[in-house]
Amino acid sequence: RQALLREELAELQSQAQRTEAARGRLERRNSDLLGKVDSHRKQLEQKEADYSQLSSQLQARDGQVKRCEDGKVSTGGGKRPPNPQM
C-alpha cells in the first residue's frame, strides 16, 4: 500500500512540476503578447495622428483651391488671351 501511495505521490509531484513549467511558459507568452499589443496600439495611435494631420492639411488645401477658384470666377479669371508666340 505504501509503495502505491509513494508512486501516486511521485506522479502528482511530477504533474505539479509540469503544470508550473507550463504556467511559466504561458506567463512569458502572455507578457510577450501584451508587449506586442502595446506596440501595435502605439503604432495605430501614430497612424491615426498622421491621418488626422493629413486630413487637416487636405482640408486647408481644399479651402485654398476653393478660394482660388472663387477668385477666378469673380474676376472673370482663368481665361487668358491666346499666346501670340505660338
Side-chain angles (χ1 to χ4, degrees):
R1 173 145 171 87
Q2 275 190 341
L4 188 60
L5 288 175
R6 284 189 191 119
E7 187 178 320
E8 187 177 342
L9 177 62
E11 178 58 35
L12 290 173
Q13 287 173 336
S14 174
Q15 184 178 355
Q17 287 175 344
R18 289 192 306 271
T19 299
E20 284 302 312
R23 176 179 292 148
R25 289 190 304 272
L26 287 173
E27 287 175 351
R28 281 190 300 277
R29 177 72 174 144
N30 187 49
S31 178
D32 290 345
L33 289 173
L34 287 174
K36 287 181 181 181
V37 165
D38 189 48
S39 173
H40 290 167
R41 181 180 294 122
K42 288 177 182 176
Q43 289 175 2
L44 181 59
E45 288 171 354
Q46 182 60 51
K47 286 181 181 181
E48 287 175 344
D50 292 346
Y51 173 80
S52 178
Q53 181 181 7
L54 288 173
S55 178
S56 296
Q57 290 174 354
L58 182 58
Q59 286 177 350
R61 180 75 47 94
D62 286 346
Q64 290 173 345
V65 168
K66 176 130 178 62
R67 285 191 300 278
C68 182
E69 289 173 348
D70 290 347
K72 286 180 182 178
V73 168
S74 68
T75 61
K79 298 181 182 175
R80 296 182 188 173
N83 191 342
Q85 295 175 351
M86 288 186 137

